[in-house]
Amino acid sequence: MAETTETGCPVLHFEFAPAATPGERFFDQLDEIRRDHPIFRSDEAQGYWVFTRNDIIMDALQDPETFSSAATVPTIPDPPYAWIPIMLDPPLHTRWRQLLGGWFSPGRTGTLEGTIRERCASLIAGLKPKGGCDFVADFASQFPTVIFLAIMGLPVDELERFMAWEDKILHFDTETDPDYSQMIAAMDQVRAFMGELITTRRADPSTRGDDLISAAIDWEIDGAPIPDEDLQSCLLLLFMAGLDTVASQLSYMFHHLATVPADREKLVADPSLIPGAVEEMLRAFTIVRLGRKVTKDVEFHGAALKAGDMVAMPLAFASRDEDAYTDATGVDLDRGVFRNLAFGGGPHRCLGSHLARKELVVALEEWHRIIPEYTVPAGEEPLEHSGNGVYGYDSLPLSWSV
Ligand code: HEM
């Protein structure tokens, strides 16, 4: 039952990063809330606004003057960190996007397709004779990490080290890491590792290649060199933004295809449907949850926002809004509608969306070519997680005949 504030806005108990409940899915819980509440207040932490409608979220994302990215987790209004570029506002944010943009353009991403496909196929071929795997640990988490190493110009034999850091940073839990000290230590290690690479490549031009780090050491903003600390922050952000997102997105897509055989069979019979299917599943299973900080007192879609207020926008609210899409909460591989907010909107719209799409499409193509039939073993219903700003499955057991 919702209480009501003096402005008439309901107050609900809503958690930004809730624990999973066996037998329930996060997306279904969000659908239920959205139907009655376009905007409400959560009573979590210091309290924050939650926007749930597609048009309201779109308006907020396109207005960085009112909705600042200086704080992106609604329960942390004054973060002691500033990741670049995701926590910058224009105009400085625009400068960074100009520097980074070319590295993630469709053209550049296209040149990586061979590496992406080769690495993907070799991971799947290694799994096939086993007759089953934990899809998340054995495939979805490893695949994007290898591509990240290629973009950064790092050898694949660094994979294990990066996987260990990734695990500590992105998959921390409060039981084993109650004060986040392991997570923070792993972030410091990634930053230090990036710092060493920057120093080496600056000092010895023979270590430079056609990779992002080699280019970044010469970047300037408004004619001034970028401090190494900012470069490290940016490289750490790229590491965090590009890995768990792709892995979590794949976990929902493969859970759907493993449990709805008719959809899987359709893609196996006609792989040309895969790019459209990826768009539809990005929409139906939109994983990212955003936060913003309000910069001024303002009336916004009937809510009286105050400077300093925090706002939560789980993007799945927008993607599954029945006013924006017909049968929005279902999956329709023939929908043919490619506009969605899975990659956000406005100036911070995902920098890696072309790369992410390429990785997702190639993963579906190669997996179904090599392992066309698979299922979630009976009695092994996987559990979701909501860590690190994205929803996903912690693990996804799959089995197939060999
Ligand atoms: C399915 C996979 C992915 C999804 C769903 C996703 C989603 C998003 C979303 C919603 C945002 C907006 C954040 C905001 O407005 O605060 C974002 C930003 C970003 N993403 Fe992705 N992303 C994915 C993969 C990637 C990949 C592969 C990379 C490559 C490194 C990447 C790099 C970034 C960066 C750097 C930003 C910050 C952009 C900025 O602040 O201007 N993402 N992503």
Side-chain angles (χ1 to χ4, degrees):
M1 175 67 73
E3 295 169 40
T4 307
T5 62
E6 64 279 10
T7 59
C9 198
V11 182
L12 307 183
H13 182 65
F14 173 86
E15 290 177 29
F16 189 63
T21 314
E24 279 186 37
R25 271 193 343 166
F26 292 132
F27 294 129
D28 300 329
Q29 296 167 358
L30 297 179
D31 294 342
E32 203 161 305
I33 298 171
R34 186 195 49 252
R35 283 186 189 116
D36 294 328
H37 304 292
I39 295 186
F40 65 91
R41 295 276 309 168
S42 164
D43 66 1
E44 188 182 26
Q46 82 293 342
Y48 53 85
W49 298 96
V50 184
F51 298 166
T52 76
R53 252 179 30 203
N54 187 291
D55 57 334
I56 299 180
I57 292 179
M58 186 86 94
D59 285 351
L61 292 181
Q62 284 170 345
D63 181 4
E65 275 186 27
T66 307
F67 297 97
S68 164
S69 288
T72 53
V73 178
T75 50
I76 310 180
D78 298 299
Y81 49 85
W83 292 327
I84 296 174
I86 208 161
M87 292 174 70
L88 298 177
D89 290 320
L92 183 54
H93 171 259
T94 318
R95 305 272 187 283
W96 277 94
R97 283 291 290 227
Q98 285 159 350
L99 292 169
L100 286 161
W103 287 90
F104 295 92
S105 66
R108 183 89 198 180
T109 304
T111 63
L112 284 171
E113 172 152 357
T115 313
I116 296 175
R117 196 171 290 281
E118 197 185 304
R119 188 61 204 175
C120 181
S122 98
L123 274 174
I124 301 166
L127 294 172
K128 187 175 180 181
K130 300 184 177 174
C133 73
D134 173 0
F135 178 80
V136 174
D138 298 333
F139 177 73
S141 300
Q142 303 207 14
F143 170 48
T145 310
V146 174
I147 312 307
F148 177 81
L149 295 177
I151 294 173
M152 294 293 150
L154 300 171
V156 170
D157 58 22
E158 294 284 3
L159 180 62
E160 270 186 33
R161 189 144 60 138
F162 271 80
M163 291 291 300
W165 284 330
E166 186 195 348
D167 195 50
K168 291 229 164 57
I169 296 174
L170 300 174
H171 305 147
F172 66 92
D173 69 68
T174 40
E175 265 174 39
T176 54
D177 191 9
D179 57 359
Y180 306 129
S181 56
Q182 293 178 35
M183 179 184 80
I184 291 165
M187 278 188 192
D188 287 344
Q189 283 162 349
V190 177
R191 231 190 301 252
F193 179 86
M194 298 299 182
E196 273 170 39
L197 282 178
I198 291 168
T199 308
T200 311
R201 288 186 195 186
R202 257 198 227 294
D204 179 0
S206 74
T207 59
R208 298 189 197 176
D210 181 23
D211 59 74
L212 196 151
I213 298 178
S214 299
I217 57 180
D218 294 325
W219 283 348
E220 294 182 346
I221 288 187
D222 296 334
I226 297 176
D228 281 5
E229 203 184 316
D230 289 359
L231 282 181
Q232 288 170 25
S233 164
C234 176
L235 295 172
L236 173 66
L237 187 270
L238 291 176
F239 175 73
M240 296 192 295
L243 303 186
D244 214 33
T245 44
V246 174
S248 295
Q249 195 69 65
L250 282 170
S251 75
Y252 281 113
M253 291 182 171
F254 275 75
H255 180 264
H256 175 79
L257 295 170
T259 53
V260 182
D263 278 357
R264 188 184 67 243
E265 284 156 16
K266 209 172 194 169
L267 301 187
V268 171
D270 184 358
S272 73
L273 299 176
I274 287 177
V278 162
E279 289 310 310
E280 171 63 354
M281 290 191 282
L282 276 164
R283 184 201 64 75
F285 310 125
T286 293
I287 54 170
V288 174
R289 304 187 305 275
L290 301 181
R292 295 287 191 262
K293 189 167 186 170
V294 178
T295 58
K296 55 186 177 206
D297 294 2
V298 65
E299 182 84 10
F300 183 75
H301 287 276
L305 311 185
K306 296 258 173 283
D309 283 356
M310 291 300 298
V311 176
M313 290 177 274
L315 295 175
F317 275 136
S319 294
R320 296 166 66 92
D321 182 346
E322 300 281 358
D323 289 334
Y325 302 94
T326 310
D327 295 330
T329 58
V331 174
D332 173 4
L333 297 189
D334 299 318
R335 186 181 296 273
V337 172
F338 297 145
R339 204 182 57 84
N340 62 62
L341 280 177
F343 292 112
H348 289 275
R349 192 178 178 286
C350 180
L351 177 73
S353 64
H354 302 295
L355 175 62
R357 283 199 167 100
K358 179 75 70 193
E359 291 181 8
L360 297 170
V361 167
V362 168
L364 263 73
E365 286 173 351
E366 292 302 315
W367 187 282
H368 292 97
R369 185 175 66 76
I370 301 170
I371 307 177
E373 278 187 36
Y374 52 92
T375 187
V376 177
E380 293 200 42
E381 188 50 33
L383 203 59
E384 296 168 285
H385 69 78
S386 67
N388 195 47
V390 302
Y391 301 114
Y393 282 108
D394 266 333
S395 68
L396 175 59
L398 292 183
S399 64
W400 54 86
S401 314
V402 277

